[in-house]
Amino acid sequence: MQSFERSLGTRLKIENFQSQVCVCAASTNLTCVKGRAEMGSKMKITLRDGAVKEYDSPKSVWEIAADLSEGLARAACAGEIDGQVVDLRTVVEEDCSLNILTANDPEGLRVVRHTCSHVLAEAVKRIFPQAKLAIGPAIDNGYYYDFEHEPFSREDLDKLEAEMKKIIKEGKKLERFTLPREEAIKLMEEKGEPYKAELIRDLPEDAEISFYDQGGFVDLCAGPHLMSTKGIKAFKLTSSSGAYWRGKSENTMLQRIYGTAFNKKEELNEYLVYLENIKLRDHNRLGREMELFTTVDVIGQGLPLLMPRGAKMVQTMQRWIEDLEDNEWGYVRTKTPFMAKSDLYRISGHWDHYKEGMFVLGEEEKDKEVFALRPMTCPFQYYVYKATQHSYRDLPLRYGETSTLFRNEDSGEMHGLTRVRQFTISEGHLIIRPDQAGEELKRCLDLAVYCLTTLGLQDEVTYRLSKWDPDNREKYLGDEEYWESTQSKIREILVNYGVPFTEADGEAAFYGPKIDIQAKNVYGKEDTMITIQLDCAIAENFDMYYIDQNGDKVRPYIIHRTSMGCYERTLAWLIEKYEGKFPTWLCPEQVRVLPISDKYENYAEKVKAELRKNGVLAEVDNRSEKIGFKIREARLARLPYMLVVGQQEEADAAVSVRSRFAGDEGVKPLGEFIDQICKEIRTKEIRREEVKEETK
């Protein structure tokens, strides 16, 4: 199971269709590199184990596999020539290193899944001939194919699976052929496939377009593919959902069918069990079941309602973060408006660089003043800074705010609490001198890591240096020198911090590079949880300055950062991480008092009152039910503690303690238990379960 969890990729993100779409222009998969055969010398093929095979004439990858072993040829899915995955049909004509890939290799299994997506497309065209084909790539743990069609039901998927089994049993050979661009467009138009024709039109006029003929079913594709559909051993269609054509909300909403395939039925069954298990951890299901949040159509997509339990958890985190920042990390708190005139966003650059992601109130052509809900707090806090003149001695100034923000997310991107249109964030902006940049960036990272560690999430994250895209310069403020300099500062911080990190072009904010702390949900979709951004440019736009030791005006640098990120997204993350069994300090109900009969309700209420007086979130279950039923209900609610009280407990001013962590902890004096749980809450201890109790 762990191998699945490590490799599970996003099924929801829009893949870069230019790399995944089944199109090639003069595909390299079947290129014959000439030269050695013409010189009359033998071609040397270095195999995976280091052995060298020599051939007098060109050979396809499949022919070489057959020469090595008939069994290997039967199992072969693709080849890897000098590190590049190629079709088995690829002809080799010069010295190279060659690996024969089977379904036991990740890239070989990817080829199986790619071919399975074509089998799915043929099945759809057989059962629903009016459907239009879009794209169908392999992804990390399976494949998908997009169609223009009505939404598919589970019954539709079952019918398609049965048809796919027929196609696989037929053992159709896959044959590759190419056409010039105009002939390729004509072929797709004649077949009534407008999306395929559109993809081909985007290619150069002199491109040669490749197709695969699957026993009469023809699909536009770059490959590589299996030699025959019989190479698909175990597959399953897992789900369907909507997806915009090319990932853009202004385009047609298509229907995406997800599936997966494995080399063996046992591997497939193990994966399907794993999928069922992660569905149980999906915050979108579990959070609703636990009554933490809900959504309502008439309120709107991406606008979740936090119910009392969820609101209590967010309140706990918010109070913790605010006290932590203000009392221990040197922040001062601001409170700024939820909206502003467009004038503010023009100065900040958001109007030019981010307007499509904002909720704009009014029309520029009609209204004297146009407002917009704020997508971030930074320009507001700049004016807090500008309200007073500052000297170099005043810096760094660290402004913190619990900010409610609004972003106009595409409807296809929204999911539960992780991607919403209104959210609240632990936002902050540090106004600093240039010489303070290194130390303050490190402190921001220290704070983020402290928050992650306290929440028990430090092992769930990865780090990324998000850089500008030099090929898209109009998107960013500043020149190449500015970006190289600021990116170097961020890189140095991460290197000195000693955490492994990746670098990603095009992920920076328009004003500066970022440290992005990333995490994946149960399905493998990655989101940014915490961000720390260095901005050396935007102070100029706002005429921000401080007076240095010489009495001169100097532009400050600005660090944009979050300490814990978005509260809603963090709540979703916590639900999935702990499967609803939160650390005691975060629980919306920490103790449930269970009287064994109604005769002991008064004592149960006294216990509850004493707990609440000490800041413990306690409730009493005074229903006329048997004590065993009440205990099971409390377990199902994933509560950390249950206190059973009866005649003996009342007489001794004690409680019988049952916990989620150790089961029956015995009878304890009430005062002793209160001291124990208050310490656990105060220190934010994360107790691990010592016994497994049934919660289903």
Side-chain angles (χ1 to χ4, degrees):
M1 290 297 180
Q2 290 179 349
S3 63
F4 287 132
E5 190 153 327
R6 285 194 299 268
S7 65
L8 185 62
T10 174
R11 303 185 336 177
L12 301 177
K13 77 177 181 182
I14 303 299
E15 302 284 349
N16 181 343
F17 85 94
Q18 290 288 13
S19 63
Q20 299 246 352
V21 66
C22 299
V23 179
C24 80
S27 171
T28 59
N29 277 340
L30 300 178
T31 300
C32 302
V33 183
K34 296 182 179 180
R36 181 165 298 279
E38 294 173 354
M39 293 188 293
S41 58
K42 289 191 175 184
M43 177 174 65
K44 295 181 179 180
I45 307 298
T46 304
L47 303 175
R48 192 194 303 241
D49 62 0
V52 177
K53 293 284 289 184
E54 294 186 351
Y55 296 97
D56 293 322
S57 60
K59 299 281 185 184
S60 71
V61 174
W62 186 86
E63 288 173 324
I64 295 172
D67 182 57
L68 296 172
S69 160
E70 289 185 10
L72 180 61
R74 285 195 299 270
C77 299
E80 186 178 39
I81 297 178
D82 294 334
Q84 180 186 0
V85 178
V86 299
D87 202 287
L88 288 170
R89 303 157 187 80
T90 302
V91 177
V92 183
E93 289 196 350
E94 69 169 12
D95 295 353
C96 66
S97 63
L98 172 65
N99 294 333
I100 305 299
L101 302 176
T102 72
N104 292 322
D105 299 297
E107 289 302 325
L109 184 57
R110 198 172 185 89
V111 173
V112 174
R113 290 166 172 171
H114 190 181
T115 302
C116 205
S117 76
H118 279 231
V119 173
L120 166 61
E122 181 178 357
V124 168
K125 293 296 284 187
R126 284 185 178 186
I127 296 177
F128 306 104
Q130 74 280 11
K132 307 298 181 186
L133 304 178
I135 61 173
I139 53 177
D140 284 350
N141 271 302
Y143 55 89
Y144 68 77
Y145 211 115
D146 290 347
F147 305 90
E148 183 184 298
H149 191 264
E150 296 299 315
F152 294 98
S153 66
R154 182 66 245 182
E155 290 75 17
D156 292 332
L157 299 190
D158 293 340
K159 291 177 185 176
L160 291 169
E161 279 186 6
E163 195 64 32
M164 290 172 71
K165 289 177 181 177
K166 292 180 184 178
I167 295 168
I168 293 168
K169 189 175 181 180
E170 290 166 10
K172 292 188 169 189
K173 291 183 178 180
L174 283 87
E175 305 286 348
R176 181 183 183 274
F177 68 93
T178 62
L179 291 174
R181 180 174 178 274
E182 291 307 313
E183 290 184 35
I185 293 171
K186 182 179 178 182
L187 175 64
M188 289 295 98
E189 288 179 338
E190 288 174 350
K191 288 183 173 293
E193 301 294 354
Y195 298 101
K196 301 290 187 182
E198 180 181 329
L199 292 171
I200 299 171
R201 289 191 184 94
D202 287 344
L203 296 173
E205 291 188 6
D206 60 350
E208 187 178 62
I209 314 302
S210 67
F211 296 84
Y212 279 80
D213 186 332
Q214 187 171 286
F217 171 73
V218 174
D219 203 352
L220 174 71
C221 191
H225 278 291
L226 299 176
M227 301 292 282
S228 162
T229 59
K230 277 194 174 178
I232 301 169
K233 305 299 183 185
F235 77 95
K236 181 72 177 176
L237 299 182
T238 53
S239 64
S240 64
S241 66
Y244 290 113
W245 170 233
R246 290 182 158 179
K248 297 181 179 178
S249 59
E250 62 268 24
N251 290 342
T252 304
M253 174 66 80
L254 305 176
Q255 298 304 313
R256 175 170 296 176
I257 296 178
Y258 286 102
T260 192
F262 286 88
N263 191 35
K264 298 176 181 177
K265 286 185 178 180
E266 294 81 5
E267 294 171 347
L268 174 63
N269 291 337
E270 185 182 356
Y271 178 71
L272 295 176
V273 170
Y274 171 73
L275 278 185
E276 288 303 312
N277 287 337
I278 66 172
K279 285 178 183 177
L280 297 177
R281 291 168 49 202
D282 182 352
H283 86 275
N284 213 4
R285 184 201 66 83
L286 188 52
R288 296 170 195 272
E289 179 186 295
M290 295 183 68
E291 299 183 356
L292 299 176
F293 76 96
T294 189
T295 53
V296 182
D297 286 344
V298 296
I299 292 176
Q301 192 178 11
L303 298 171
L305 303 175
L306 290 181
M307 299 175 73
R309 290 173 175 272
K312 174 56 72 174
M313 290 186 68
V314 169
Q315 181 190 58
T316 298
M317 289 189 285
Q318 180 179 328
R319 288 175 173 175
W320 166 55
I321 289 293
E322 290 180 350
D323 289 345
L324 179 70
E325 289 180 345
D326 298 356
N327 299 334
E328 300 180 36
W329 291 81
Y331 284 77
V332 291
R333 203 134 297 273
T334 65
K335 186 172 177 59
T336 56
F338 285 4
M339 68 176 75
K341 295 194 297 184
S342 61
D343 306 50
L344 178 69
Y345 304 115
R346 293 179 197 278
I347 296 170
S348 68
H350 289 102
W351 204 253
D352 294 328
H353 295 276
Y354 200 76
K355 184 181 176 183
E356 289 185 1
M358 298 167 63
F359 288 101
V360 177
L361 310 177
E363 299 180 29
E364 294 179 82
E365 298 78 13
K366 296 180 181 179
D367 300 312
K368 185 176 180 180
E369 291 185 327
V370 174
F371 288 79
L373 299 177
R374 65 180 184 187
M376 58 282 296
T377 310
C378 44
F380 297 86
Q381 289 190 328
Y382 299 158
Y383 280 99
V384 173
Y385 176 84
K386 281 170 61 67
T388 307
Q389 181 167 288
H390 300 279
S391 84
Y392 69 97
R393 293 189 183 90
D394 298 328
L395 306 186
L397 255 176
R398 307 181 188 99
Y399 294 117
E401 182 163 338
T402 301
S403 305
T404 298
L405 305 178
F406 306 85
R407 296 184 185 174
N408 191 11
E409 299 282 1
D410 289 338
S411 60
E413 287 291 294
M414 286 179 287
H415 175 69
L417 296 176
T418 58
R419 183 75 68 171
V420 292
R421 286 174 168 158
Q422 177 183 308
F423 56 95
T424 302
I425 194 168
S426 58
E427 196 165 18
H429 296 90
L430 288 73
I431 318 299
I432 62 174
R433 303 192 308 263
D435 63 286
Q436 296 170 326
E439 176 60 25
E440 290 301 317
L441 282 167
K442 180 182 178 300
R443 278 176 52 86
C444 289
L445 191 52
D446 285 339
L447 175 56
V449 170
Y450 175 81
C451 291
L452 289 171
T453 302
T454 304
L455 292 168
L457 301 171
Q458 70 276 15
D459 295 330
E460 312 290 321
V461 301
T462 57
Y463 296 82
R464 184 179 76 190
L465 166 52
S466 296
K467 305 188 295 185
W468 78 319
D469 179 0
D471 296 327
N472 188 16
R473 297 191 178 199
E474 67 276 5
K475 178 182 174 182
Y476 304 96
L477 300 178
D479 57 17
E480 185 172 354
E481 182 181 355
Y482 166 78
W483 281 94
E484 290 303 321
S485 171
T486 51
Q487 287 170 178
S488 293
K489 285 185 174 67
I490 296 285
R491 186 180 293 109
E492 183 180 357
I493 293 296
L494 287 168
V495 169
N496 291 340
Y497 212 83
V499 294
F501 65 95
T502 58
E503 299 192 12
D505 291 335
E507 295 294 335
F510 68 84
Y511 45 74
K514 305 184 289 178
I515 298 172
D516 283 331
I517 301 178
Q518 307 287 110
K520 292 180 179 180
N521 69 8
V522 291
Y523 296 107
K525 184 180 186 299
E526 187 174 84
D527 284 301
T528 298
M529 308 306 297
I530 296 173
T531 187
I532 302 165
Q533 307 168 7
L534 177 61
D535 178 357
C536 307
I538 212 164
E540 181 77 27
N541 295 26
F542 287 88
D543 191 27
M544 297 169 66
Y545 63 87
Y546 63 91
I547 305 300
D548 71 4
Q549 54 267 50
N550 299 318
D552 297 327
K553 293 182 177 180
V554 180
R555 299 294 183 204
Y557 287 0
I558 299 166
I559 297 174
H560 309 242
R561 50 99 276 181
T562 56
S563 52
M564 192 197 62
C566 166
Y567 287 99
E568 290 84 355
R569 185 173 289 177
T570 300
L571 178 56
W573 192 10
L574 290 166
I575 293 169
E576 295 186 350
K577 157 72 176 179
Y578 292 107
E579 300 180 51
K581 299 176 184 178
F582 307 111
T584 301
W585 74 275
L586 278 172
C587 285
E589 183 182 352
Q590 294 158 337
V591 176
R592 186 172 294 177
V593 186
L594 310 177
I596 61 173
S597 73
D598 55 10
K599 290 191 294 183
Y600 306 106
E601 283 183 16
N602 288 339
Y603 180 60
E605 290 292 341
K606 289 179 182 178
V607 170
K608 168 187 164 183
E610 196 64 25
L611 287 164
R612 289 202 164 195
K613 188 163 62 175
N614 284 274
V616 180
L617 300 174
E619 299 293 343
V620 173
D621 184 348
N622 53 18
R623 293 176 296 171
S624 298
E625 300 285 357
K626 293 182 178 180
I627 191 64
F629 177 85
K630 292 181 180 181
I631 290 172
R632 284 193 297 275
E633 288 283 290
R635 286 177 183 166
L636 286 169
R638 299 170 173 82
L639 300 181
Y641 291 99
M642 296 157 272
L643 302 182
V644 179
V645 295
Q647 181 179 9
Q648 192 62 49
E649 286 81 11
E650 182 175 22
D652 297 339
V655 289
S656 181
V657 181
R658 298 184 66 89
S659 76
R660 196 180 65 212
F661 317 104
D664 188 349
E665 296 191 12
V667 177
K668 297 181 182 181
L670 177 58
E672 179 183 327
F673 173 75
I674 289 175
D675 289 344
Q676 171 194 319
I677 192 172
C678 286
K679 180 183 177 183
E680 184 180 335
I681 293 169
R682 184 177 67 255
T683 61
K684 298 178 175 57
E685 178 186 354
I686 300 176
R687 287 190 69 182
R688 303 299 180 184
E689 290 187 49
E690 301 167 21
V691 296
K692 296 293 182 183
E693 299 219 50
E694 183 61 49
T695 60
K696 296 180 184 177

